[in-house]
Amino acid sequence: QVQLVESGGGLVQAGGSLRLSCAVSGRTYSTYTMGWFRQAPGKEREFVAAISRSGGTTYYADSVKGRFTIARDNSENTMYLQMNSLKPEDTAVYYCAGMINYRGYESVSSYDYWGQGTQVTVSS
């Protein structure tokens, strides 16, 4: 059974940085396309960033492009999201997700596995 566990969330002032991690159990981690999503109160879950199986290709939502960086370490079964220049509108629960067979990276329904989420709060 595949499990995803996020960590690294917290409270930070606007302009600050946080690094989220997603630890994935299972021997087939390197075969998954991985992604980060977020959900603010009263809003739908939205795409943040995604990374290909090898890590060679990355995708970002326009709202985070240039501020966030997604990366993965297949030897450690871990994915990361480095978040810089954080804004109050980045406040949300952040989820990592894994996709077995590529079906597009932006849709929630494309992903097969999800973590429980980690709260990120950015104060103004």
Side-chain angles (χ1 to χ4, degrees), residues 48 60-69 82-85:
V48 174
Y60 296 95
D62 288 342
S63 60
V64 307
K65 203 170 294 182
R67 300 188 297 122
F68 290 11
T69 302
Q82 177 67 43
M83 305 186 295
N84 299 329
S85 303

Side-chain angles (χ1 to χ4, degrees), residues 3-53:
Q3 289 187 319
L4 285 67
V5 179
E6 303 95 338
S7 61
L11 173 64
V12 64
Q13 288 188 330
S17 298
L18 282 175
R19 189 194 196 202
L20 305 184
S21 298
C22 174
V24 182
S25 66
R27 294 177 293 177
T28 55
Y29 165 71
S30 62
T31 67
Y32 303 153
T33 298
M34 297 294 297
W36 287 99
F37 286 75
R38 67 187 181 186
Q39 188 167 18
K43 295 188 177 181
E44 293 188 352
R45 193 169 299 190
E46 65 174 6
F47 169 75
V48 174
I51 189 166
S52 63
R53 297 172 179 181

Side-chain angles (χ1 to χ4, degrees), residues 8 10 19 22 39 42 53 55-56 64 78 81 88 96 99 110 115 118-119:
R19 189 194 196 202
C22 174
Q39 188 167 18
R53 297 172 179 181
V64 307
T78 304
L81 186 68
C96 67
M99 185 191 318
S110 295
T118 185
Q119 176 71 46

Side-chain angles (χ1 to χ4, degrees), residues 56-91:
T57 304
T58 56
Y59 311 90
Y60 296 95
D62 288 342
S63 60
V64 307
K65 203 170 294 182
R67 300 188 297 122
F68 290 11
T69 302
I70 189 172
R72 68 189 294 167
D73 184 340
N74 286 346
S75 67
E76 296 291 334
N77 280 24
T78 304
M79 177 178 65
Y80 305 97
L81 186 68
Q82 177 67 43
M83 305 186 295
N84 299 329
S85 303
L86 282 161
K87 304 175 182 180
E89 51 263 45
D90 294 318
T91 295

